[in-house]
Amino acid sequence: MRFHIYWNSYTMFKGAWAMEGTAKWAEYVIGAGTRGTNADIPLPSTMAQMDEVFAHSLPMWFWDRLILLVDASPDSIIHLPPSVAGLTYVDGTPIMKDNKFRGAALIKAYLQALDAEDDVVTAVNGLAQYRWAESYQSNPIHRPRMLKALQRAVRNTGATGAEIDAFLAIQ
């Protein structure tokens, strides 16, 4: 999917739990309405629970719930420029089914946080920037850094509540 190109333009990290989850979010965001079909499963509040998220290549229950809690407005509406709103597939079917776009600010902030974090890993480990071995990009040793980057992005949204606070406290 094209979102993988977007992801790769931001960060060297390729943890499937994050990369595939956000790619699936991007796939659903252009459909009618918003995703959120698994939004009733609570966020992890312990590292053991977070390890369960890490173990899945597509933990949509996690991303659905996180986006719902961070971007809780039922009106997550964006004003698409006509050049985007009017895009169609070859058969004439509109690509954008509506203008609801929940989670975009969080995903963008997360990618920016990952970008900053992979710069640190590059410098600390003397790696060539943008030339990490594929196996190193997806290495589980990066999970704690990726989690901390996500927690920073969530924290910066200003979202609060017991569930968010417990997620942010995972170390």
Side-chain angles (χ1 to χ4, degrees):
M1 183 180 173
R2 290 182 174 93
F3 187 81
H4 290 95
I5 295 168
Y6 191 71
W7 177 282
N8 291 334
S9 71
Y10 267 98
T11 184
M12 296 300 295
F13 296 124
K14 288 189 177 178
W17 69 275
M19 185 180 196
E20 297 306 324
T22 57
K24 187 58 81 173
W25 162 83
E27 204 176 297
Y28 282 99
V29 81
I30 65 173
T34 56
R35 179 128 162 89
T37 56
N38 295 308
D40 59 336
I41 300 172
L43 288 178
S45 59
T46 66
M47 186 51 89
Q49 291 171 344
M50 197 65 214
D51 284 338
E52 292 176 29
V53 173
F54 293 149
H56 286 80
S57 62
L58 194 58
M60 284 315 300
W61 75 90
F62 171 75
W63 291 102
D64 287 347
R65 183 66 177 176
L66 183 62
I67 288 167
L68 177 70
L69 293 174
V70 168
D71 190 356
S73 171
D75 303 322
S76 296
I77 304 296
I78 60 166
H79 299 285
L80 299 170
S83 61
V84 173
L87 289 173
T88 62
Y89 292 106
V90 175
D91 68 358
T93 305
I95 293 174
M96 301 302 287
K97 306 296 188 235
D98 63 26
N99 60 349
K100 293 181 179 160
F101 206 58
R102 182 175 284 165
L106 173 64
I107 301 302
K108 181 180 179 185
Y110 182 42
L111 288 169
Q112 290 169 336
L114 288 172
D115 179 33
E117 201 62 35
D118 72 26
D119 289 348
V120 172
V121 172
T122 297
V124 167
N125 294 296
L127 301 171
Q129 194 168 22
Y130 311 120
R131 297 219 185 264
W132 293 12
E134 189 74 26
S135 61
Y136 190 66
Q137 292 179 54
S138 58
N139 193 312
I141 65 169
H142 301 303
R143 289 173 177 168
R145 284 186 180 275
M146 293 178 73
L147 174 59
K148 292 300 176 198
L150 180 57
Q151 289 171 321
R152 277 194 307 275
V154 169
R155 202 171 280 112
N156 289 339
T157 69
T160 61
E163 192 173 342
I164 289 283
D165 294 344
F167 171 72
L168 293 176
I170 297 172
Q171 293 191 20

